[in-house]
Amino acid sequence: MPRLFTQGDTLKVCVVGPKGSGKTVLCKLLAEQVLSAQASREYQPTAGLRIQELELEHKGRQRQVQLWDLSGDPSYEKYFAMLAEGTAGVLLVHNAQKDQESDLEVFYRVFAQPNKLTMAQVATIGTTFTGAEGEDPTGGAAVVPLKRKLKTLDHFQVDLGQLVGKENTGKAMHVLRPKFETMMDAAFG
């Protein structure tokens, strides 16, 4: 197994998926940044890469987690292989109301396979956004299930609109904490 990006107590997790799928909002929520519903809806494309850092306790030790929030814009594809090097975990993020499975499969092949990640180190996250008050700007569009290879991975359905606001700080990590534990077990033992 290749040496994963675990310099000291640091874990590299790539957060990848199609453009506009909610990767940046998810990373900010995982890093416990307080976002208003309005700020979380304003689409601001990531220019290449944004790294969010957070600390998690794992088996009695503080571990640094770096969330590598990569742009899903195809113009950055030529950099993906380089950015994927040493990845210890991958979160494949997609808009749950669109069929984006073929896009996710490409991200899986580029980020998970070269690092020989196990299924335990990869998850799919389907995002929706109903809003903090429950209003649905999509008019109630149905969630599109994963049907092919990726359906065997751990899958989380996350309503980003229900996680924004000061009162919801920490809820995103609470939902995904078991997946981070699994990734840290694989990287640190």
Side-chain angles (χ1 to χ4, degrees):
M1 179 178 256
R3 180 72 176 139
L4 302 175
F5 185 81
T6 54
Q7 295 179 337
D9 293 328
T10 302
L11 179 76
K12 175 183 175 181
V13 177
C14 285
V15 182
V16 296
K19 185 175 167 181
S21 57
K23 298 178 298 292
T24 299
V25 171
L26 179 65
C27 286
K28 287 181 177 182
L29 292 170
L30 289 169
E32 298 188 354
Q33 294 179 21
V34 177
L35 296 173
S36 68
Q38 181 178 346
S40 63
R41 285 187 192 194
E42 294 170 359
Y43 180 61
Q44 297 175 349
T46 299
L49 169 69
R50 178 183 294 115
I51 299 175
Q52 296 281 338
E53 295 185 313
L54 55 134
E55 280 193 4
L56 295 175
E57 185 174 321
H58 177 253
K59 296 184 178 178
R61 293 185 63 185
Q62 285 300 112
R63 304 290 189 176
Q64 186 78 18
V65 176
Q66 292 184 342
L67 299 174
W68 288 45
D69 172 15
L70 285 97
S71 173
D73 190 316
S75 66
Y76 294 104
E77 280 183 32
K78 59 187 169 198
Y79 304 108
F80 286 171
M82 176 190 65
L83 294 169
E85 288 181 19
T87 297
V90 175
L91 300 179
L92 298 163
V93 181
H94 65 103
N95 180 332
Q97 296 169 322
K98 295 181 181 177
D99 183 1
Q100 297 180 321
E101 189 165 5
S102 60
D103 295 326
L104 293 180
E105 289 171 346
V106 170
F107 286 107
Y108 180 85
R109 282 192 300 273
V110 172
F111 288 89
Q113 285 181 338
N115 290 296
K116 296 181 173 49
L117 300 185
T118 66
M119 289 175 60
Q121 293 169 274
V122 183
T124 59
I125 300 174
T127 61
T128 56
F129 195 108
T130 60
E133 276 76 51
E135 73 276 5
D136 186 351
T138 67
V143 170
V144 178
L146 298 175
K147 298 175 186 167
R148 297 187 299 269
K149 179 181 179 181
L150 299 179
K151 73 179 182 180
T152 61
L153 297 172
D154 287 343
H155 181 74
F156 298 86
Q157 191 65 42
V158 178
D159 184 340
L160 297 174
Q162 298 298 315
L163 299 175
V164 298
K166 189 173 185 173
E167 68 281 3
N168 293 319
T169 301
K171 282 187 179 178
M173 181 51 76
H174 178 74
V175 170
L176 294 175
R177 179 67 195 224
K179 180 47 69 177
F180 280 94
E181 287 290 334
T182 302
M183 289 178 185
M184 288 186 290
D185 284 343
F188 301 118

